[in-house]
Amino acid sequence: MKITSFNSFISAADPDEAVSLFGELGFERRHTKKGIEIADRDDTVIRMKDENGFYVDILKPESGQDRDMAGIRMNVDDFDEAYEMLRKRGFKNLYGDETVSTSSSKAAMMVSPSGFNICVIQHIK
């Protein structure tokens, strides 16, 4: 398994405030992906990048949440291999066995035994 990119993400209780904060820190919107279907809801991800090449993804869940959740986005060249490696280390898929599959990617939100999150993603070419 090869990691193709690695950056932070925030599932935000107030996504507009998070976008504003990172905008003040020098990040600009790269793109917005709407309608990401997972667990009977449609979420939106806002990808931001600064002039140094650092990225942050801000997840805007369809249903509200009480507080922010932070984690790591890990793009890989082999989703199944990464998913199984994390499961063998005790990670659990936040949505059971459901994965996010779109025309351009496959992803799952994995939670470690100690509570940190890795969103593992493979882009489909």
Side-chain angles (χ1 to χ4, degrees):
M1 171 194 72
K2 177 182 172 190
I3 296 173
T4 58
S5 69
F6 199 82
N7 63 268
S8 60
F9 79 83
I10 300 166
S11 180
D14 186 347
D16 295 330
E17 178 60 31
V19 168
S20 175
L21 167 66
F22 282 94
E24 287 183 39
L25 292 170
F27 286 78
E28 295 180 2
R29 283 181 191 240
R30 297 290 291 182
H31 67 268
T32 300
K33 191 170 189 177
K34 296 181 180 182
I36 300 169
E37 296 179 25
I38 185 70
D40 297 323
R41 64 183 210 214
D42 288 327
D43 292 344
T44 298
V45 173
I46 301 158
R47 187 146 174 87
M48 301 181 78
K49 182 180 180 182
D50 78 353
E51 65 183 24
N52 297 307
F54 295 114
Y55 287 91
V56 64
D57 292 344
I58 299 171
L59 173 68
K60 181 178 184 179
E62 179 184 63
S63 57
Q65 61 187 49
D66 296 336
R67 60 188 186 101
D68 293 346
M69 177 182 72
I72 299 164
R73 170 183 167 151
M74 183 173 74
N75 288 19
V76 296
D77 67 343
D78 187 328
F79 175 86
D80 294 329
E81 183 181 1
Y83 186 86
E84 284 306 312
M85 187 271 298
L86 291 172
R87 282 181 19 92
K88 286 178 183 175
R89 292 191 157 266
F91 282 73
K92 304 269 190 236
N93 184 334
L94 187 64
Y95 301 110
D97 286 325
E98 190 173 348
T99 58
V100 176
S101 294
T102 70
S103 61
S104 63
S105 64
K106 183 175 182 180
M109 182 68 70
M110 305 297 287
V111 182
S112 76
S114 63
F116 72 90
N117 302 286
I118 295 179
C119 182
V120 60
I121 300 173
Q122 178 183 354
H123 282 96
I124 300 166
K125 300 174 182 179

